[in-house]
């Protein structure tokens, strides 16, 4: 039986393309969205299908975790031999690693166009960044959020114990979205006028539909009321880029694993004062200036919130991703996504029984995230079918946005396809054709729920020869479980 390892060796032959297919299009020679915008690791990876054939994997799950850019992987390989302890090491490689780490911090800050007095804290991811920010909001400061948020930008504000002292409750208000963007902005304006808030936290782009409120309008409303603005940039930053200086947003948080640098780093960038004086995120070495048994003197930010040995390689990877994306021609990223998103929405909308989710009918320019349902078909079954019979990776569930899914009438979940710089028109067309085939004739294989996860009955597909991967269905079920529906 042919293994995945053997298939990978002949991926170009199987897919009918050469490695040159991953070269990004240049100038007017390429139609936006027809090919990949940037080369990503694993673009030619081939996966087995249940009918015994194989196909190049169509990764339409970039909103969850995006593959590494090839320049990012190359940069990591380059710096790994230089890795050593940072900030306090006298050795030559320690000095090199420290310089690389701090240079990476500067590159990440430049990518989001940080102001001269902003600070960039290297974190694990967006969730980490927003929990950090929740801990430095001044005592008594009220926080306003919308119910469209990912749990990472909802739970830190509404749960107890997010303040400077254990058990303190930071008062948060969750504002229900309105039927239109205009009406939602009016509701925000009224709420900000009625109650003083220290911070308004909102998504830069929904991880469910790609939609967002216009940031310029939101920032103007908030700042007029004396309220700071924090943006969950997990989907916005890698899909559109972002400028703190141009938008006058106070804080932005984003993740490396969604910005084509899946090496465990993220960032929180914004106003220095709260970060300089707020409670340190972690207590430990590196965050302190002097420690005695009866008192501790803390460093200012960013060191104040980076206790322990930092993720040097992750920071370098994130910086390289930022620099690679910044080198794209103006408008190229947006044009690539708009073309593919329009193609995907148009194709899905033409299939009987398919409903594409939208939050607001008047929301402009959503990023490349499309969520849909197919009649009464279980989203988990749809996702399993797309993978096993067509080699397509999508997301199913409630996407860590349970209140929003309930509002959209999909409390039991939906299917999400998301576009990235490695996505091509063929990926989109394959998904649309697969959905149409499912509606027309159903699945060709048998499926069952195992420990809460949909899988192929008696799946005999070979696996990649990777240590620790014993059985695909069992591994997926162990990670999934009946209680996990994100």
């Amino acid at each position: 039986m042919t293994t995945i390892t053997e298939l990978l060796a002949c991926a170009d032959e199987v897919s009918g393309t050469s490695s040159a297919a991953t070269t990004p299009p240049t100038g007017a020679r390429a139609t936006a969205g027809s090919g990949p915008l940037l080369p990503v690791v694993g673009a030619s990876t081939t996966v087995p299908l249940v009918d015994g054939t194989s196909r190049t994997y169509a990764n339409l799950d970039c909103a969850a975790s995006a593959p590494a850019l090839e320049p990012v992987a190359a940069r990591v390989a380059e710096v790994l031999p230089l890795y050593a302890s940072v900030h306090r090491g006298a050795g030559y490689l320690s000095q090199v690693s420290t310089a690389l780490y701090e240079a990476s911090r500067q590159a990440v800050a430049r990518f989001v166009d940080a102001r001269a007095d902003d600070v960039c804290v290297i974190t694990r991811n967006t969730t980490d960044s927003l929990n950090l920010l929740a801990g430095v909001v001044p005592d008594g400061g009220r926080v306003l959020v919308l119910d469209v948020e990912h749990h990472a930008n909802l739970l830190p504000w509404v749960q107890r114990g997010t303040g400077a002292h254990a058990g303190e409750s930071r008062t948060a208000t969750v504002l229900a979205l309105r039927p239109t963007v205009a009406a939602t902005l009016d509701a925000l304006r009224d709420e900000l006028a009625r109650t003083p808030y220290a911070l308004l936290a909102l998504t830069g782009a929904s991880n469910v539909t790609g939609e967002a409120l216009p940031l310029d309008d939101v920032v103007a409303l908030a700042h007029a009321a004396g309220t700071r603005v924090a943006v969950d940039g997990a989907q916005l930053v890698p899909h559109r880029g972002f400028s703190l200086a141009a938008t006058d947003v106070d804080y932005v948080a984003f993740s490396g694993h969604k910005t084509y640098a899946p090496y465990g780093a993220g960032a929180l960038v914004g106003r220095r004062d709260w970060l300089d004086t707020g409670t340190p995120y972690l207590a430990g070495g590196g965050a302190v200036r002097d420690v005695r048994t009866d008192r501790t003197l803390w460093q200012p930010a960013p060191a104040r919130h980076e206790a322990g040995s930092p993720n040097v390689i992750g920071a370098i990877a994130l910086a390289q991703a930022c620099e690679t994306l910044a080198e794209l021609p103006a408008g190229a990223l947006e044009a690539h996504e708009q073309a593919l998103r329009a193609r995907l929405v148009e194709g899905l909308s033409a299939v009987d029984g398919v409903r594409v989710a939208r939050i607001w009918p008047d929301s402009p320019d959503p990023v490349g995230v499309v969520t849909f349902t197919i009649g009464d078909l279980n989203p988990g079954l749809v996702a399993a079918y797309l993978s096993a019979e067509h080699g397509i990776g999508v997301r199913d569930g409630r996407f860590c946005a349970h209140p929003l899914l309930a509002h959209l009438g999909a409390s039991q979940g939906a299917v999400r396809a998301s576009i990235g710089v490695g996505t091509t028109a063929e990926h989109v067309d394959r998904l649309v054709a697969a959905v149409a085939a499912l509606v027309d004739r159903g699945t060709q294989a048998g499926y069952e729920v195992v420990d809460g996860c949909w899988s192929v009955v008696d799946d005999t597909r070979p696996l990649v020869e990777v240590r620790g991967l014993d059985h695909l269905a069992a591994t997926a079920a162990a990670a999934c479980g009946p209680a996990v529906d994100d």
Side-chain angles (χ1 to χ4, degrees):
M1 180 181 292
T2 303
T3 66
I4 294 292
T5 303
E6 293 168 335
L7 291 172
L8 288 173
C10 58
D12 288 343
E13 179 181 344
V14 172
S15 63
T17 63
S18 69
S19 58
T22 62
T23 302
T26 57
R29 292 184 295 122
T31 302
S34 60
L37 186 63
L38 287 170
V40 296
V41 175
S44 60
T45 298
T46 304
V47 295
L49 306 184
V50 290
D51 65 359
T53 65
S54 59
R55 198 155 192 190
T56 303
Y57 187 63
N59 184 355
L60 290 171
D61 194 18
C62 295
S65 286
L69 290 168
E70 286 187 357
V72 170
R75 178 64 167 160
V76 169
E78 177 188 20
V79 300
L80 271 175
L82 306 174
Y83 173 75
S85 64
V86 301
H87 291 149
R88 294 171 299 284
Y92 181 80
L93 290 188
S94 290
Q95 294 177 45
V96 169
S97 289
T98 298
L100 287 170
Y101 183 67
E102 293 303 330
S104 296
R105 186 195 307 282
Q106 295 171 14
V108 171
R110 283 196 303 271
F111 182 63
V112 293
D113 199 14
R115 296 152 296 226
D117 59 346
D118 284 335
V119 62
C120 174
V121 182
I122 301 299
T123 64
R124 292 180 297 172
N125 46 45
T126 307
T127 302
D128 201 38
S129 296
L130 293 169
N131 276 270
L132 189 165
L133 182 60
V136 301
V137 176
D139 290 347
R142 299 177 65 91
V143 179
L144 178 62
V145 295
L146 294 171
D147 61 356
V148 303
E149 301 298 328
H150 185 284
H151 296 164
N153 197 33
L154 180 65
L155 296 180
W157 313 114
V158 301
Q159 69 174 359
R160 293 188 62 86
T162 59
H165 305 289
E168 177 185 340
S169 176
R170 189 167 319 284
T171 305
T173 297
V174 181
L175 186 68
L177 64 89
R178 302 300 193 265
T180 65
V181 166
T184 304
L185 289 173
D186 287 341
L188 273 174
R189 181 184 295 105
D190 293 344
E191 183 61 32
L192 289 166
R194 178 167 43 249
T195 305
Y197 287 96
L199 183 70
L200 166 62
L202 80 160
T203 183
S206 169
N207 75 307
V208 177
T209 67
E211 298 169 85
L213 296 174
L215 271 181
D216 289 345
D217 293 338
V218 171
V219 172
L221 291 174
H223 284 181
T227 302
R228 292 189 178 188
V229 177
V231 168
D232 171 356
Q235 301 301 331
L236 176 63
V237 171
H239 288 271
R240 286 288 184 274
F242 181 76
S243 170
L244 281 165
T247 61
D248 205 25
V249 162
D250 299 280
Y251 301 95
V252 64
F254 62 105
S255 299
H257 74 100
K258 298 182 191 297
T259 314
Y260 310 101
Y263 292 85
L268 172 67
V269 190
R271 307 287 184 191
R272 175 175 285 280
D273 55 348
W274 287 3
L275 292 166
D276 269 347
T277 58
T279 301
Y281 188 44
L282 295 173
V288 297
R289 289 185 294 176
D290 187 62
V291 176
R292 300 179 186 177
T293 56
D294 59 345
R295 65 107 173 97
T296 301
L297 297 180
W298 300 98
Q299 295 274 24
R304 187 183 191 89
H305 303 288
E306 294 182 4
S309 296
N311 182 358
V312 178
I313 299 302
I316 293 170
L318 178 56
Q320 181 62 59
C322 291
E323 290 175 343
T324 302
L325 291 172
E327 290 170 358
L328 286 169
L333 184 59
E334 184 175 2
H336 176 77
E337 284 210 352
Q338 285 180 333
L340 290 175
R341 190 185 195 283
R343 189 184 191 110
L344 178 56
V345 171
E346 181 179 357
L348 289 174
S349 299
V351 179
D352 288 343
V354 173
R355 183 175 71 89
V356 175
R358 289 295 300 268
I359 302 173
W360 301 291
D362 56 339
S363 61
D365 188 26
V367 303
V369 179
V370 177
T371 290
F372 61 96
T373 54
I374 309 175
D376 59 358
L377 287 177
N378 185 283
L381 170 61
V382 175
Y385 154 81
L386 291 172
S387 173
E389 300 186 31
H390 297 276
I392 301 169
V394 295
R395 199 70 156 187
D396 70 276
R398 292 188 285 171
F399 320 118
C400 293
H402 298 181
L404 177 55
L405 267 291
H407 174 84
L408 295 173
S411 294
Q412 301 307 307
V415 180
R416 183 183 70 189
S418 47
I419 293 161
V421 296
T423 307
T424 68
E426 189 278 327
H427 296 156
V428 169
D429 292 346
R430 193 195 312 179
L431 174 62
V432 172
V435 169
L438 176 62
V439 171
D440 182 52
R441 63 176 186 266
T443 65
Q444 302 305 293
Y447 295 85
E448 62 183 348
V449 178
V450 179
D451 293 332
C453 292
W454 284 90
S455 59
V456 178
V457 176
D458 297 327
D459 193 353
T460 59
R461 286 176 293 168
L463 298 178
V464 178
E465 294 179 3
V466 177
R467 184 168 58 88
L469 183 59
D470 298 322
H471 190 278
L472 186 61
T475 302
C480 178
V484 178
D485 52 13
D486 294 333

